Structures are given as C-alpha cells and as structure tokens.
Amino acid sequence: MKILITGGAGFIGSHVVRRFVTTYPNDQIVNLDKLTYAGNLENLRDIEHAANYKFVKGDIVDADFIQNLFETEQFDAVIHLAAESHVDRSISNPIEFVMTNVVGTVNLLNAAKTFWKGKYDSKRFYHVSTDEVYGTLGEGTEMFTEETAYDPHSPYSASKASSDHFVRAYHDTYGMDCVISNCSNNYGSFHFPEKLIPLSIHNIKQNKPIPIYGKGENIRDWLWVVDHARAIDVIFHKAKSGSTYNIGGHNEWKNIDLIRLLCRIMDKKLGRAEGESAKLITYVTDRAGHDLRYAIDATKLKNELGWEPSLQFEEGLEKTVDWYLENEKWLNNVTSGNYQHYYEEQYQNR
Ligand code: NAD
Ligand code: TYD
C-alpha cells in the first residue's frame, strides 16, 4: 500500500509516521506537511532515510497541489492529521483554523473522491480528530461516547467538528470508505512546548513561572502519544467503513493536580528540594470559553478492536520528563527557532 500521512512532522503525526514506517516495511509512507511553526522534521530524524519513507513539503489548503500529488503518487489510503491544533492560537486567529482544518480537509476528500472513483471499497480515508468536538462535561462521572452530540466551543474545536462532518458527508454521499477517531489530550516526546505539559517542563527547568489558567480546576483525560499511534494503527487496519472510535486513557486529571505531580517529578530529577518547583506555579487569566472537563469512554475501541492504553500516567509522565531532559538540543532548537532550518539544511539539496 502507498499511504499518505498528513501532518507527519507534528507531534502526533511523527509518532504515527514512525510506527507505520517501522511496522510495515512493505508499505510506502508519504509524509505531507507544510512545516508550519508546529512542524519539525527533527522529530523524524531516526527514520528519515528509511527506504519506505518520503517527505513532501506542501499545503493541504492548495487544492491544485493536492490534486497533482494524488495524480502522481496514486495513494491507496490517507491518514489525515495535518491541522492547526492549539486552542489559544485559534482564539487569536480563527481563520487559519478554518483554512487548514476545514478547507484543507475538504481538499483532501475531494482529491480522494476524484482519484479513487470506482475503487472506493479498496481505498481508505482516515480522519484523526479530537474529543473537543463534543464540548464540555460537568464535574460528574459522565463521559463522551461515540453517540454524544457535537457541541464545540472554541474556534479550534468548531473547525475540527466541521471537518468531521465533511468526512461523514463524503462517506454518506459518495460511498467513500471513511473512518474517524476522536482522541483525548496526548502527552509524550516531541510535543511542542506551547501545550501545558511540555511548556511546564521547559519553564520548571528554566525556573520560569508555570502559567495555570483560572483556578487550575479544568479536567483533561491524558493519553500517551505512542498509545494513540497504536490505536490509529488498529483502527486504520480493522475498522469498518463509516465507523467512529473514541480513544482515551481513562485518566482524568485536574490541571493543578497534574502540574503538582509534574513539579514533584522535576524536583526529583533536577535534584531540587521537594516543593521547590511548585513555587513557580502562577495563576493567570483564564482562557476564554475554557471547557471545564473532557473524559472519553473508549469501551467501543476496547470491545470491538481490543485496544487499551499500555502505560500508567505516572510512569508515562516520568518517561516524558526524562525524554525532555535527555533531549535538550531538540528543545533548544524549538525554543530558539533553529528547527525551522532543518528542512533547508537536510532536504532541499537532496
Ligand atoms: P501539531 O500542531 O503538533 O502538528 C500539526 C502538523 O500539521 C504540523 O506538522 C504542521 O506543520 C502540519 N500542518 C499544519 N497546517 C498544515 C497545512 N495547511 N498543510 C499541511 N500541513 C499542515 O498537532 P498534533 O498535536 O500532532 O495533532 C495532530 C492531529 O491530531 C490534529 O488533527 C489534531 O486535531 C488531532 N488531535 C490532537 C490531540 C492532542 O492532544 N494534541 C488530541 C486529539 C486529536
Ligand atoms: P492544552 O495543552 O493547550 O490542550 P487543550 O486546550 O487542547 O486541552 O491545555 C491543556 C489544559 O491546560 C487546558 O485546560 C488549558 C490548560 N493550560 C494552562 O492552564 N496553562 C497553559 O499555559 C496552557 C498552554 C494550558
């Protein structure tokens, strides 16, 4: 199979590319990425010379480019992760989110519709989405299931919800083989340090304030990114056409409790006195429209496809801290902006 993976230079995409390139040596993996601020080819340094891997720089918003790529590459399947993904950025610049997340997704669907005509049964379009499309839960024990009605609140989640609707529409209208998964918050290596966990690790290391929005009482369900990539693998290969799966860790944490745990781990790793890093916790103005709680019920995925998270959160968080401490160069290149030269240095003259 030749599989197009979009957004493969990003956080989750790089883990998905690595998994497919190394697990399926007989499949060809084409990673299409625009290399926005969130795209970093250093994330894929370990597999960039693999025989079954190719990188293409390009923008999913450019319909002609996407049509040409489908024509020349003759893909058998798409795993679509490219997106603008940060809620705070969506609040300050919603249009970028409409363009990439909605228009970009429809461009890919259109190209697939055109080039796969008459062969829809043997070609798969897998759309990677988020639990944020379901809106927010109260503090109780209710969880998002695949039946929960969409109720997005941020421009990010509204754009992802819209893209999900388009994917379903292409399945229902044209009979294309489409699959969607909605996952909870991911954490792990190669996570861009604007998101809560890597930002906090970076700031603790630098002795800088850890910004906690509001009272820190918002709840997120955290999943190790490698487990998300495992879930995508199993869904891609086994799900029925038109199906949807929720992916989550059954692992809810109030932001402030998570950050306190992280501070304890960092004190230990950095040889600081217990309680030292927690002094950096700083409450700041809350995010506008901040969803209170996300919690995923991933029972369907477990019962139908046998997937379960492989790692306990405390262990995963410690592993993640170790990774950031051992990969100082990666973090420095990201925070200095140097990572943006990697493409010109390593790829352009090949
Ligand atoms: P990310 O921001 O780290 O990576 C996104 C990637 O998409 C980057 O490499 C970027 O360069 C690329 N990209 C952006 N615009 C593009 C365009 N117009 N054309 C081509 N490439 C473009 O995001 P992530 O956290 O890895 O998320 C990947 C996907 O998973 C997204 O669709 C996101 O909605 C979804 N998701 C993320 C989480 C999470 O916790 N991060 C949870 C559930 C679902
Ligand atoms: P984030 O990592 O941005 O993911 P998402 O908004 O997609 O859930 O944020 C996770 C939680 O942490 C969310 O409730 C917002 C909060 N948060 C902070 O308190 N401080 C921060 O600096 C950031 C980036 C997030």
Side-chain angles (χ1 to χ4, degrees), residues 200 202-211 277 280-282:
S200 302
H202 178 63
N203 285 12
I204 293 169
K205 215 175 115 206
Q206 307 274 319
N207 261 310
K208 286 189 188 155
I210 310 166
S277 298
L280 299 167
I281 292 173
T282 307

Side-chain angles (χ1 to χ4, degrees), residues 4-8 30-33 56-58 60 65-66 69:
L4 170 66
I5 299 184
T6 70
V30 177
N31 170 15
L32 166 66
D33 200 295
V56 176
K57 187 170 188 242
I60 58 169
F65 165 77
I66 294 295
L69 189 70

Side-chain angles (χ1 to χ4, degrees), residues 85-88 132 156 185 191 194-197 199 211-213 218-220 222 255 284 287 290-291 294:
S85 70
H86 191 41
V87 173
D88 294 327
E132 303 193 26
Y156 165 63
N185 285 63
H191 204 180
E194 65 180 351
K195 306 276 172 83
L196 180 67
I197 291 179
L199 176 79
I212 301 291
Y213 299 163
N218 303 68
I219 295 168
R220 297 292 182 264
W222 294 92
N255 290 341
V284 299
R287 173 186 279 172
H290 196 171
D291 287 336
Y294 303 145

Side-chain angles (χ1 to χ4, degrees), residues 14 48 89 113 135 145 153 253-254 264 302-303 306 344:
S14 61
E48 68 186 7
R89 287 180 189 254
K113 175 167 92 63
T145 72
H153 298 292
W253 285 80
K254 265 190 188 164
R264 286 197 295 279
K302 181 180 173 193
N303 289 350
E344 290 98 70

Side-chain angles (χ1 to χ4, degrees), residues 122-182:
S122 61
K123 309 278 182 185
R124 169 150 285 188
F125 192 102
Y126 182 161
H127 178 59
V128 175
S129 192
T130 168
D131 61 354
E132 303 193 26
V133 298
Y134 296 124
T136 187
L137 295 164
E139 265 178 347
T141 53
E142 197 197 344
M143 290 182 174
F144 298 134
T145 72
E146 289 79 1
E147 311 304 319
T148 304
Y150 278 28
D151 183 23
H153 298 292
S154 73
Y156 165 63
S157 53
S159 68
K160 291 296 290 188
S162 171
S163 63
D164 291 12
H165 289 318
F166 273 104
V167 174
R168 285 201 182 91
Y170 273 64
H171 170 264
D172 296 348
T173 308
Y174 307 111
M176 282 169 56
D177 177 333
C178 299
V179 174
I180 300 176
S181 59
N182 298 84

Side-chain angles (χ1 to χ4, degrees), residues 6-14 31-40 43 57-62 66 80-86 96 99-101 104 127-132 156 160 181-187 190-192 194-195 222-223 225 228 232 247:
T6 70
F11 165 47
I12 301 170
S14 61
N31 170 15
L32 166 66
D33 200 295
K34 183 183 174 183
L35 299 182
T36 67
Y37 80 94
N40 183 353
N43 298 358
K57 187 170 188 242
D59 186 347
I60 58 169
V61 177
D62 182 344
I66 294 295
H80 174 38
L81 295 107
E84 286 293 333
S85 70
H86 191 41
E96 197 73 38
M99 294 313 292
T100 288
N101 298 2
H127 178 59
V128 175
S129 192
T130 168
D131 61 354
E132 303 193 26
Y156 165 63
K160 291 296 290 188
S181 59
N182 298 84
C183 189
S184 62
N185 285 63
N186 285 212
Y187 70 95
F190 303 112
H191 204 180
F192 196 84
E194 65 180 351
K195 306 276 172 83
W222 294 92
L223 179 70
V225 62
H228 188 186
I232 289 173
I247 312 171

